[in-house]
Amino acid sequence: MPIAKIIKQPSDLITTMTVAPLNTGSDTAAVALLRRGTDATESVLLVHDPEEMPDAGFDETTEEYALVEAMFDVKNFEGPVMIGSYPNTDVISLNDVSVTPTADGATVSATISGVQKWLEDHLNDGPRWFIPVGMTDDDIKTAADIMYANAHSELVLQVDNIVDLQKWHDYAIATQTDKDKLGHLRAIVEKSAENKPAAQAVAYASTLTLLDWMRIGNLSQFVPNDWTQVERDMIENLNGLTVVNKADDLMLSADKELNGNYIDNSFNAQFNTDFLQYRIQKWMNSKNFTEITDDNISELVTTAQAAGDDLFKLGTIATGDDGKADFHVTAKSRSQLSAYEISQRKYKSLDVQMGLPNPFEKVYLNNAITL
């Protein structure tokens, strides 16, 4: 067929046609793989479909591909998945200069581990759940310490034996002990390397706001292991999770971080804090000049209280004795502030008290039978 001839006509309208690439989804990932890179550089890759993996250097034989594929097999999970590669050697960080006194002066060091540098740069990029890939024990400990210190993100390990679970449990209860912080390290025990329940659990969790982890189940790679009752008791006592059969539903066995805190409390505390920060920052952004006045302080309190009411509707705030949100905001008036606070423009008197919900964990049935 001959090509049709294009006839140009004079016009006052000049049309420019732009063909945009397909929208492959959001650029914020809720879940991430954290892996040791192959050189001294760090990188971030967003994957919207497992088919993108080979072109990015992760073919079907890699652990990264298997984990991403398992995640996208979870219903309603649309990604993307972040793949974070950290330097495989210590790197320079001017934000972490340390000075060590010596007999003839001092030694100045600005070197930190590759995983610490990556997390300093990317911890707040969006992911709430991280799956380690090929990380050394020391790097996992560093990542766990940073997430715990910042009360941000969850590191989810998958181990294939109880000995390793014991090791990480002992580490968590020895290091994650602050009274004002919740745990950010958990472990799922799965004997088969072919199954990826940890990856599927975080993918499923990312699709919901409120989630009790022991209610995650019936995913394609949730297969119950042949643990004995003694072994299951050991896993529970070590605050580990594994896949078990609950009334013909294949579910995670428990709902605890390795240090003994409940997973949903750790998540809710982080989610609520992020939500409050977002709302209050939006309020600040909406004003060109937010003078410290009683009217503005009142608006600030109202903004925080409204955020708490919305969190209560989501289910991440507990119900108080009065049936309302267990969420209370208090603030000092301008006359109660010090001259220093006013001159430095630092309002430090907004206080929020909230209670976290406690769902059913176990139900004990008293079954009386009369013969």
Side-chain angles (χ1 to χ4, degrees), residues 105-154:
T107 299
V108 178
S109 174
T111 302
I112 59 173
S113 67
V115 67
Q116 179 177 339
K117 179 63 166 60
W118 192 96
L119 286 169
E120 286 183 358
D121 293 340
H122 302 289
L123 182 63
N124 294 302
D125 283 2
R128 297 184 184 275
W129 294 272
F130 285 86
I131 300 285
V133 184
M135 295 175 63
T136 65
D137 284 2
D138 285 343
D139 283 351
I140 290 175
K141 291 176 181 178
T142 297
D145 291 345
I146 291 172
M147 293 178 189
Y148 181 69
N150 287 275
H152 194 288
S153 301
E154 309 280 342

Side-chain angles (χ1 to χ4, degrees), residues 188-324:
I188 295 178
V189 193
E190 166 57 53
K191 290 184 178 181
S192 172
E194 300 300 316
N195 296 329
K196 312 297 180 186
Q200 291 203 319
V202 298
Y204 184 83
S206 74
T207 67
L208 300 171
T209 300
L210 183 66
L211 180 65
D212 180 354
W213 268 56
M214 68 188 303
R215 308 301 171 215
I216 299 178
N218 294 328
L219 303 178
S220 62
Q221 299 199 14
F222 273 38
V223 179
N225 294 160
D226 57 347
W227 303 112
T228 65
Q229 186 59 53
V230 172
E231 289 172 325
R232 282 196 294 270
D233 291 343
M234 290 175 64
I235 292 171
E236 182 174 355
N237 291 335
L238 293 171
N239 300 326
L241 294 76
T242 191
V243 177
V244 295
N245 188 321
K246 297 180 182 179
D248 292 332
D249 290 318
L250 302 181
M251 317 283 287
L252 289 180
S253 58
D255 190 23
K256 286 187 177 181
E257 306 282 4
L258 284 169
N259 73 341
N261 296 142
Y262 285 102
I263 290 172
D264 52 359
N265 283 345
S266 296
F267 173 81
N268 290 344
Q270 176 187 334
F271 182 86
N272 292 352
T273 300
D274 290 348
F275 193 88
L276 278 169
Q277 180 177 334
Y278 174 82
R279 283 290 186 85
I280 294 173
Q281 184 65 62
K282 281 290 189 183
W283 176 78
M284 295 283 287
N285 295 348
S286 69
K287 295 178 175 291
N288 290 326
F289 189 78
T290 316
E291 187 180 359
I292 300 177
T293 65
D294 284 336
D295 284 344
N296 281 332
I297 291 172
S298 178
E299 275 192 38
L300 183 59
V301 171
T302 300
T303 299
Q305 188 64 56
D309 292 340
D310 288 341
L311 289 169
F312 181 57
K313 294 174 184 176
L314 289 173
T316 60
I317 298 290
T319 303
D321 294 337
D322 58 359
K324 299 179 180 179

